[in-house]
Amino acid sequence: LAALREKWFGAERAGTAAARKVVLTAEEKTWIMEHPVIRLHNEKAWPPYNFNVNGQPTGFSIDYMNLVAQQAGLRVEYITGPSWDEFKVMIQSDELEVMLNTTETPERRKIVNFTRPYAQISAAIIVKDPDLRIQSIDDLRGLRVSATRGFSTEEFFTESFPDVELVLEDNLLDTLYAVLEGRADATMDDFAALNYLMQQHGLPDLRIAFLSADPEFA
């Protein structure tokens, strides 16, 4: 896990540990024999966690899942193309076994079971206007905030900040362009994902206005 963090986030590796073979119960072994291939969701554009490059699933969450599957003796099949909302329908209709990098929310607990967290993500607010001062999440009240349709940010603002005007987009890159093009005043999501996209697509006019590791927003 430390090696994966180093690969995708440039995090310094704090020593190495010997790989441990997963010890499975008899019930788990039987389940794997009956379900040798599990289907997982692969997003088109949520780097550096879960995205697709030339038809190849890639990212931190993909590498992590491949490691888990290898140790457990599972084979994985990644499904790419549907939107986040479509993936949520697919996992409820048994067309998927697993969804990756999914923030736990009360609404989502009604439809899926969650593992223990395998990554802690800081939230960032991105703006373009150099005069727009954002010192807390509360400063977004009354502003237009772009969010990815179906993501936890949409649910968060809808429930906790109804006075924020949501500008919904199909993916995270589009939320940045909404700010860049003036259709939104700001966007808020995972810092690593937003920063990765801004660097990869050369969006120098955007800046990080606020960064928070508060568990409520992470």
Side-chain angles (χ1 to χ4, degrees):
L1 186 56
L4 294 185
R5 289 196 180 104
E6 183 181 45
K7 172 184 176 180
W8 289 106
F9 310 121
E12 184 176 349
R13 192 185 305 190
T16 57
R20 293 178 299 168
K21 185 66 177 177
V22 175
V23 178
L24 301 173
T25 66
E27 183 181 9
E28 289 167 340
K29 291 177 181 177
T30 299
W31 191 94
I32 289 174
M33 287 179 61
E34 295 173 352
H35 308 83
V37 180
I38 59 172
R39 296 160 296 182
L40 296 94
H41 98 288
N42 171 224
E43 298 180 46
K44 290 183 285 188
W46 203 58
Y49 298 96
N50 187 346
F51 58 118
N52 193 287
V53 178
N54 298 324
Q56 184 65 37
T58 189
F60 172 80
S61 294
I62 300 295
D63 284 352
Y64 183 78
M65 186 63 226
N66 289 341
L67 181 63
V68 171
Q70 180 185 23
Q71 297 224 353
L74 286 161
R75 286 182 289 137
V76 294
E77 174 188 344
Y78 291 103
I79 297 176
T80 311
S83 68
W84 182 263
D85 282 339
E86 289 169 337
F87 278 130
K88 286 194 295 185
V89 172
M90 291 173 68
I91 200 165
Q92 292 178 81
S93 61
D94 294 331
E95 296 174 80
L96 288 175
E97 276 73 51
V98 176
M99 289 182 71
L100 302 171
N101 42 259
T102 304
T103 302
E104 188 171 355
T105 69
E107 190 64 31
R108 290 173 179 178
R109 281 196 292 269
K110 298 175 184 178
I111 61 173
V112 293
N113 298 311
F114 283 87
T115 67
R116 291 188 301 274
Y118 61 89
Q120 182 70 19
I121 297 172
S122 295
I125 295 174
I126 306 297
V127 302
K128 178 184 179 183
D129 185 349
D131 298 322
L132 186 59
R133 293 178 57 82
I134 304 291
Q135 297 179 315
S136 71
I137 306 290
D138 284 333
D139 290 337
L140 294 175
R141 296 183 186 276
L143 298 181
R144 299 167 302 163
V145 177
S146 58
T148 305
R149 187 176 286 103
F151 271 30
S152 59
T153 44
E154 179 189 2
E155 185 178 327
F156 169 76
F157 282 115
T158 300
E159 294 181 358
S160 302
F161 290 82
D163 47 355
V164 165
E165 181 185 340
L166 281 177
V167 179
L168 297 180
E169 303 288 345
D170 290 333
N171 56 63
L172 195 60
L173 181 60
D174 286 347
T175 70
L176 289 169
Y177 274 106
V179 178
L180 193 64
E181 295 166 359
R183 292 182 284 109
D185 301 302
T187 188
M188 186 180 89
D189 211 289
D190 164 52
F191 164 71
L194 291 169
N195 191 51
Y196 187 99
L197 286 168
M198 286 192 295
Q199 292 184 19
Q200 290 294 309
H201 292 269
L203 306 177
D205 292 336
L206 301 179
R207 64 181 178 88
I208 299 168
F210 181 73
L211 189 63
S212 174
D214 187 328
E216 183 182 358
F217 309 123

